[in-house]
Amino acid sequence: MSNELERGLEGVLVAESDLSYIDGSDGTLLYRGYHIEDLATRADFEEVLYLLWHDELPTRAELETFTEKLTADQHVDDDVLTAVADMAAADADPMDALRTAVSLLPTYDPESDADTDDAAVGRRQGRRITAKIPTILAAFDRARRGKEPVEPDDDLGYAGNFLYMLTGTRPDDVAEETFDMAMTLHADHGLNASTFASMVIASTMADVYSSVIGGIGALSGPLHGGANEDVMEMLEEIDEAGADPVEWAKEARADGRRIPGYGHRVYQVKDPRANILESRLRDLSDASGDTTWLDYTTAIEGYLADEGLVEKGIAPNVDFYSGSVYDHLGIPTDMYTPIFAMARAGGWIAHILEYQSDNRLIRPRARYTGRTDADFVPIDER
């Protein structure tokens, strides 16, 4: 056993996986061997979920059956929706509301008492979780705006249904396609903190619900899931100040402030997901006639490139453009991280099922640095 300490487990191999492959040096991301560019632009999110959970792309018949079941599972029990409305009334954080609502779902799951080592059961429970998260999030946001929840529309796909339940209006093709692509881009990304947290819980043979709840908790931390919100706040700060984005970025760096959406623990070049979202932001900006966020982000990216950050391995990540895309779709800023969870739940579930198929309890050790010779003194003598 090695005594080398690797803080944060950086570079430590803890599992083998067929799910996603990342080459940070050239900006490659694969899901089960398929390039993210192909999946994001040529496949629906439902196809990607099937791929992650079944190890192959579906046939037309398989996709129709899978989509029908996913659609049927979107409906959420009234008691859960009541709890969601209560949390909205109490001004709960959206991630707290999501975590709490998901923890209520097994109460109404017909297979809640099934064996956790049955992969088919785990896959069905995972499908139910994935299907219900959009309904929960849309109901929460509407409740805090004093609006009634919108029932899922069985004729809409996963991405389109969320936008419809959020706004009450059927999205146009550009919005639905863009959001579907965003879901695919966020579905999986190796053993990031939330995925690993899900796997640690799953390694105890806990059920899929418990494991996904752990992933939501990990994603809620500002070092993992909140960068897209930080980017949006940066852009709004620039806009409200009427500042030039390049001059703002120069001053921010001079003050020691970090530019959100820049840098990644794996990528040394521009995140391939950022390239795709930048393209979609251009399409949305052209459609709306408002290029403000596009102008700001591209100006900052150009300036930082000229400053040599890319050569130093610090480049735009997926969050640098996702916030602007979501804003164009009318999604509130504090819903960006919950939407991340909505997409990433598919990846969490895939990793949970994969790891439990050849399970070993994850039990690392820590190097002890405390005292070894403390003398106990009875409490009345202290």
Side-chain angles (χ1 to χ4, degrees), residues 86-324:
D86 289 343
M87 287 185 282
D91 198 26
D93 179 88
M95 284 296 280
D96 292 341
L98 175 62
R99 185 189 65 245
T100 302
V102 172
S103 73
L104 294 174
L105 295 181
T107 305
Y108 306 95
D109 191 309
E111 298 181 289
S112 60
D113 295 329
D115 292 338
T116 57
D117 60 356
D118 187 332
V121 172
R123 192 174 287 111
R124 289 193 294 270
Q125 290 181 331
R127 187 189 69 221
R128 293 174 193 130
I129 296 169
T130 305
K132 295 179 191 307
I133 286 177
T135 311
I136 289 168
L137 291 178
F140 173 81
D141 185 63
R142 290 183 66 82
R144 65 182 181 172
R145 290 186 283 126
K147 297 180 180 292
E148 292 295 316
V150 174
E151 280 288 311
D153 186 334
D154 292 350
D155 293 329
L156 289 172
Y158 188 88
N161 226 328
F162 172 72
L163 295 176
Y164 168 65
M165 289 188 291
L166 186 74
T167 65
T169 303
R170 279 173 166 259
D172 60 33
D173 291 343
V174 173
E176 183 173 7
E177 182 181 273
T178 299
F179 193 64
D180 184 274
M181 290 172 64
M183 292 291 97
T184 291
L185 295 175
H186 288 86
D188 194 38
H189 208 247
L191 297 195
N192 51 81
S194 57
T195 298
F196 188 59
S198 296
M199 286 173 57
V200 171
I201 296 169
S203 79
T204 71
M205 294 309 295
D207 64 12
V208 175
Y209 286 99
S210 299
S211 302
V212 168
I213 291 164
I216 295 171
L219 189 64
S220 68
L223 296 184
H224 186 14
N228 49 14
E229 295 183 27
D230 294 339
V231 172
M232 201 62 234
E233 289 169 2
M234 172 189 74
L235 297 177
E236 290 172 344
E237 179 182 332
I238 293 170
D239 196 55
E240 290 172 5
D244 177 271
V246 171
E247 292 302 317
W248 184 95
K250 288 180 181 178
E251 292 181 13
R253 294 184 70 204
D255 293 339
R257 295 175 62 182
R258 181 176 174 274
I259 304 297
Y262 254 75
H264 196 278
R265 284 280 288 269
V266 180
Y267 293 113
Q268 292 85 54
V269 296
K270 188 173 180 177
D271 188 329
R273 301 168 298 174
N275 285 317
I276 297 169
L277 286 175
E278 179 186 356
S279 175
R280 296 309 298 181
L281 178 59
R282 291 182 182 279
D283 293 341
L284 290 169
S285 300
D286 289 343
S288 68
D290 183 356
T291 65
T292 304
W293 302 148
L294 176 66
D295 294 341
Y296 289 0
T297 49
T298 53
I300 292 171
E301 182 179 352
Y303 158 66
L304 294 176
D306 291 341
E307 291 293 294
L309 263 67
V310 176
E311 286 81 356
K312 298 176 183 177
I314 305 173
N317 59 46
V318 67
D319 296 311
F320 192 64
Y321 284 99
S322 62
S324 299

Side-chain angles (χ1 to χ4, degrees), residues 42-52 56-58 63 66-67:
R42 301 171 66 184
D44 294 333
F45 182 60
E46 290 88 337
E47 292 179 72
V48 173
L49 286 176
Y50 190 98
L51 172 67
L52 290 173
E56 58 186 359
L57 288 169
L63 180 61
F66 178 77
T67 302

